[in-house]
């Protein structure tokens, strides 16, 4: 579990709220790419978390939204958070015809830490500092 960190002088925070429609996944990727240019995996991570928010929570219902928040420390460590509008904490069983279920393990392979914070309405990913 990753605790929510307060911005300090050595951190920069950006946040944007998007409508909960599938075309906004592209905009979430653009947001990550713009604010995390030194983190090549940030775009993929933002895409997966935004897609999950739309597909599996109330975010995807009419009028739903999700918020992407990026916090960057001076050492380059970045936090990318997608806050959705809540939904089930468990999902149906995987079946042989189900295409889902690979995104979160993919994210886990790309980052140093991740978790669900607070009331299960957000997913937080920690990206390591960029390699120099």
């Amino acid at each position: 579990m990753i605790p929510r960190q307060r911005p300090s002088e050595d951190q920069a925070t950006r946040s944007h709220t998007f409508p909960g429609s599938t075309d906004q996944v592209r905009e979430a990727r653009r947001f990550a790419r713009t604010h995390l240019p030194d983190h090549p995996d940030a775009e993929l991570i933002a895409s997966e978390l935004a897609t999950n928010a739309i597909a599996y929570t109330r975010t995807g219902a009419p009028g739903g939204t999700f918020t992407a928040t990026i916090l960057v420390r001076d050492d380059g460590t970045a936090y990318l958070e997608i806050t959705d509008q809540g939904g089930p904490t468990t999902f149906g069983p995987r079946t042989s015809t189900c295409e889902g279920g690979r995104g979160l393990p993919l994210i886990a392979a790309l980052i140093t830490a991740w978790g669900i914070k607070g009331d299960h309405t957000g997913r937080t990913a920690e990206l390591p500092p960029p390699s120099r």
Side-chain angles (χ1 to χ4, degrees), residues 16-93:
H16 186 80
T17 299
F18 300 89
S21 57
T22 57
D23 64 322
Q24 294 301 299
V25 173
R26 175 181 61 245
E27 299 306 318
R29 286 193 306 264
R30 185 185 335 251
F31 179 76
R33 181 175 58 245
T34 298
H35 296 293
L36 294 170
D38 296 331
H39 293 276
D41 297 326
E43 197 172 341
L44 172 65
I45 293 164
S47 180
E48 181 60 33
L49 294 177
T51 297
N52 284 354
I54 293 165
Y56 300 117
T57 75
R58 289 185 289 273
T59 290
T65 62
F66 67 93
T67 301
T69 302
I70 292 172
L71 181 145
V72 181
R73 291 183 171 166
D74 278 350
D75 71 357
T77 302
Y79 295 86
L80 170 60
E81 177 178 286
I82 300 292
T83 303
D84 58 46
Q85 293 190 303
T89 56
T90 59
F91 304 103

Side-chain angles (χ1 to χ4, degrees), residues 111-131:
I111 61 178
T112 56
W114 73 283
I116 300 170
K117 70 165 189 74
D119 58 2
H120 301 286
T121 60
R123 311 301 183 257
T124 303
E126 179 181 343
L127 289 70
S131 32

